[in-house]
Amino acid sequence: MSAPQQKSGRPLNFNGTVADALARGLLRHGVKLVFGQSLPSALHLAAKSHGIRQAWYRTENAGGAMADAFARLSHRVGVVTAQNGPAATLLVPPLAEALKASVPVVALVQEVALTQTDKNAFQEFDHLALFGACTKWVRRLDQPGRVDDYLDMAFRAAVSGRPGPVALLLPADLLLAPCRPGEVARCQSLGCYPLERTMPDYLHLEQAADLLAQAECPLIIAGGGVHLSGACEELAMLQEAAALPVATTVMGKGAVDENHPLSLGVVGYFMGTGGTTKFQRELVEGADLVLLVGNRTNQNGTDSWSLYPPKARYIQIDADPMEIGRNYEALPLLGDAKLTLSELMAVIEGRDLTKRLTARGALEERIAQGKARHRQEAKGLLTSRRKPVRPERVMHELNRRLTPETVVVADASYSSIWVANYLTCLAPGMRFITPRGLAGLGWGLPMAMGAKLAQPSSPVVCLAGDGGFAHCWAELEAAARMGLDLTVLVLNNRILGYQKHAENVKFGDHTDAVYMSDVNHAAVAQAAGCRGIRVREPAELPRALDEALGEPGPVLVDILTDPKAYPPITSFEGKLAM
């Protein structure tokens, strides 16, 4: 069989080619949507003929973030494509985020032709080395007959164990080469995660149940692994049945209903004045037993490892053995969070829970008092009428408009903290998407686009600062072209807030680059084909939010906010951050 030839005036026929075999393989793995621009063109055209849709981006950096958020919400592998060379290098940041955040993404990257390898071909680069540090697995396909072998390896690597990104390099000439199917057709679908759920040692489960039943002050701190496993329901059942208080990390937000009387909220490095969990700190520091669920115990989540009690016993549920005991020696429950919590629930039901149930009333009262003290402390900020607008007021107005179906996406930096601190999870499994793996600026809008494509029927709201939003505003045009219903809120304070305030705290001065021009982002949105609304004072917020949330298509609300405002970051306490 020879490579397909184009006939005059007719599209190229990809039947029987490597590109066609790849498209068939993607379809077998349940892929219905691929994030990409034009290249690899042969792959996109072949995929189109099989009914696989293309969602486009303006930059590969954004495309990788879209695939990441799509995977987080859909529990299906996100697939993104890119050209070799400079386009491929732009995939490194979002793949690194996915690696740290344990999100399965398959990057299909065009490579120079096999016949041109190591000849200084146009945009030739060592992609194996490039992706080596930011993926779980990277290979180059160099034999037409092994398409299914390598595609299946890529998907299995992405969804197995601790999920993560992978890269498969596709030489341009190979895509058009004839491809004979293997003698035995592959039929497995590997596009969902977790692929294989594992269970911990049963003896360890029994030990964990004993510890939880007997502890004086137990506490659960749930991380993003609860969402990756789809374990929110099991966690909520354990919380209720065993009367266990639950706090979350930023990535774990949404794991439990934050209105539940045993829910503390998000704990970590922003428990200062105005912080939702400021008055819950003693509950965390006073715990004698801590159950960590899908929690990496990273710097921000532990307030630089100062928050979690050093003398407490720890139990740790994680699919990755290298995370268990990394920072806190723990009884290992190595396995999938959903299965493990379900089995732990069954075991603990056989224990005497009198101590837990007896202590519940006083514990609920203590948590309620902490929440009441926070509301009183933050009341002036949440209802502030000051100009420029306080971010806390924006969060207060947005919070009143959330439903359990709303998906909230935050950019990195202050935006993630405003969302984690001032918005309320209304039900287990409600999603708050934040780029906390590496916390790179500019991923808010593209992640919101990926989230909307994953859950088209859910309202999606994106919060970004003007500094981060400037990294990605070109994606507004892509969102408009795809007709995505999105609400984008830009907190426009004309500075790089976290940078300026942290420099002031650390050095007593700040660098000159923290100041920015007063950009009219509403006008930028309108120029990109979106609706743009500008808010200059608090009284305009309710109407602007109602219009933005109720109007089809992408709507951006540019809110002029107070440059002196900063979240309740613990390390800023008592210091002049402004």
Side-chain angles (χ1 to χ4, degrees):
M1 181 187 293
S2 60
Q5 301 294 316
Q6 182 179 13
K7 297 182 179 180
S8 178
R10 295 183 181 178
L12 195 63
N13 185 350
F14 294 96
N15 287 342
T17 64
V18 168
D20 181 61
L22 283 166
R24 291 178 184 275
L26 291 174
L27 204 62
R28 172 166 57 86
H29 293 310
V31 176
K32 299 177 181 178
L33 182 75
V34 173
F35 296 89
Q37 284 188 344
S38 296
L39 295 168
S41 303
L43 174 60
H44 280 293
L45 291 170
K48 182 180 178 180
S49 70
H50 289 284
I52 299 175
R53 295 188 298 132
Q54 182 179 356
W56 42 83
Y57 54 73
R58 297 294 295 264
T59 69
E60 286 74 15
N61 194 325
M66 292 178 196
D68 176 321
F70 177 88
R72 294 192 200 200
L73 280 184
S74 68
H75 271 264
R76 306 200 68 85
V77 174
V79 180
V80 62
T81 67
Q83 185 181 353
N84 50 292
T89 65
L90 290 174
L91 275 183
V92 170
L95 292 181
E97 164 70 25
L99 183 67
K100 294 289 286 185
S102 308
V103 180
V105 173
V106 170
L108 301 174
V109 180
Q110 181 165 294
E111 181 65 282
V112 299
L114 286 172
T115 57
Q116 298 173 352
T117 301
D118 292 330
K119 296 180 71 175
N120 287 332
F122 180 61
Q123 295 185 336
E124 182 178 12
F125 198 75
D126 186 350
H127 296 116
L128 290 170
L130 176 72
F131 293 120
C134 64
T135 63
K136 290 179 64 179
W137 178 95
V138 55
R139 295 291 190 278
R140 177 188 290 113
L141 178 65
D142 55 11
Q143 299 178 47
R146 299 205 65 193
V147 170
D148 282 341
D149 296 347
Y150 274 86
L151 195 62
D152 283 19
M153 278 192 281
F155 273 80
R156 181 169 286 279
V159 298
S160 296
R162 178 175 178 170
V166 302
L168 181 59
L169 311 178
L170 307 172
D173 54 347
L174 195 72
L175 288 169
L176 297 178
C179 177
R180 299 181 185 277
E183 292 184 6
V184 179
R186 288 179 175 262
C187 58
Q188 282 190 333
S189 181
L190 307 174
C192 294
Y193 74 96
L195 181 62
E196 287 121 0
R197 298 181 185 270
T198 58
M199 283 278 291
D201 186 310
Y202 192 78
L203 177 61
H204 289 166
L205 283 169
E206 290 192 317
Q207 292 172 346
D210 289 338
L211 289 171
L212 288 166
Q214 297 165 9
E216 296 294 331
C217 303
L219 174 68
I220 299 174
I221 307 179
V226 174
H227 291 296
L228 291 170
S229 176
C232 297
E233 182 180 348
E234 287 73 15
L235 179 60
M237 291 173 63
L238 180 63
Q239 176 187 36
E240 180 61 31
L244 292 168
V246 178
T248 75
T249 65
V250 175
M251 288 191 67
K253 186 179 178 71
V256 291
D257 180 353
E258 288 179 339
N259 287 321
H260 190 285
L262 288 171
S263 293
L264 277 66
V266 179
V267 298
Y269 69 115
F270 44 85
M271 297 171 71
T273 301
T276 304
T277 54
K278 172 185 175 181
F279 300 105
Q280 311 293 353
R281 191 177 188 99
E282 288 184 1
L283 273 173
V284 180
E285 293 176 336
D288 64 342
L289 177 69
V290 180
L291 171 59
L292 302 169
V293 187
N295 180 343
R296 294 180 295 145
T297 64
N298 63 19
Q299 183 173 9
N300 287 349
T302 61
D303 199 5
S304 295
W305 305 285
S306 69
L307 175 64
Y308 292 11
K311 295 182 179 180
R313 293 283 303 272
Y314 286 83
I315 304 166
Q316 192 163 2
I317 299 174
D318 208 288
D320 183 354
M322 297 308 295
E323 289 300 336
I324 296 178
R326 177 190 288 273
N327 293 313
Y328 302 91
E329 188 175 39
L331 172 66
L333 295 183
L334 177 61
D336 170 70
K338 184 180 180 74
L339 278 187
T340 302
L341 286 171
S342 179
E343 192 62 28
L344 180 60
M345 175 75 176
V347 175
I348 205 170
E349 284 180 334
R351 299 300 190 266
D352 182 359
L353 296 176
T354 302
K355 181 180 285 189
R356 295 277 67 75
L357 300 177
T358 301
R360 177 168 183 160
L363 178 59
E364 288 184 355
E365 178 61 25
R366 188 176 175 186
I367 294 171
Q369 288 177 359
K371 291 179 178 180
R373 291 177 68 187
H374 157 69
R375 287 192 295 270
Q376 183 62 33
E377 181 180 73
K379 183 178 179 180
L381 294 173
L382 296 174
T383 60
S384 173
R385 298 181 181 178
R386 285 167 24 195
K387 293 172 55 178
V389 181
R390 291 287 305 193
E392 298 91 340
R393 175 67 188 273
V394 178
M395 295 296 96
H396 176 68
E397 294 293 343
L398 177 58
N399 200 44
R400 295 171 58 192
R401 290 161 173 79
L402 297 182
T403 70
E405 293 73 38
T406 305
V407 176
V408 180
V409 181
D411 207 334
S413 193
Y414 278 177
S415 296
S416 290
I417 306 177
W418 295 126
V419 163
N421 197 61
Y422 289 110
L423 298 184
T424 305
C425 174
L426 302 173
M430 184 177 174
R431 294 310 304 269
F432 298 83
I433 305 295
T434 52
R436 304 310 295 171
L438 281 183
L441 282 174
W443 292 335
L445 174 59
M447 280 188 153
M449 295 166 67
K452 187 64 182 181
L453 287 162
Q455 291 187 194
S457 61
S458 295
V460 176
V461 180
C462 171
L463 184 79
D466 53 334
F469 186 65
H471 285 244
C472 65
W473 60 26
E475 303 305 329
L476 283 172
E477 184 278 330
R481 209 173 352 140
M482 287 189 281
L484 300 181
D485 295 338
L486 293 174
T487 300
V488 182
L489 308 181
V490 178
L491 301 181
N492 185 354
N493 62 3
R494 288 80 67 202
I495 61 169
L496 291 172
Y498 209 155
Q499 190 69 29
K500 178 184 177 182
H501 298 151
E503 287 177 351
N504 283 348
V505 167
K506 189 172 183 178
F507 304 108
D509 197 3
H510 52 264
T511 53
D512 295 338
V514 299
Y515 295 104
M516 296 182 293
S517 302
D518 183 8
V519 176
N520 187 333
H521 297 94
V524 172
Q526 290 167 352
C530 307
R531 169 85 188 281
I533 304 171
R534 203 159 214 226
V535 171
R536 294 175 176 82
E537 54 185 81
E540 299 170 351
L541 269 172
R543 181 176 178 180
L545 290 176
D546 289 340
E547 287 183 12
L549 290 166
E551 191 166 317
V555 182
L556 182 144
V557 184
D558 186 29
I559 307 167
L560 302 186
T561 55
D562 186 353
K564 295 181 180 180
Y566 54 89
I569 296 170
T570 312
S571 62
F572 287 7
E573 285 287 283
K575 300 173 184 177
L576 186 63
M578 295 172 288

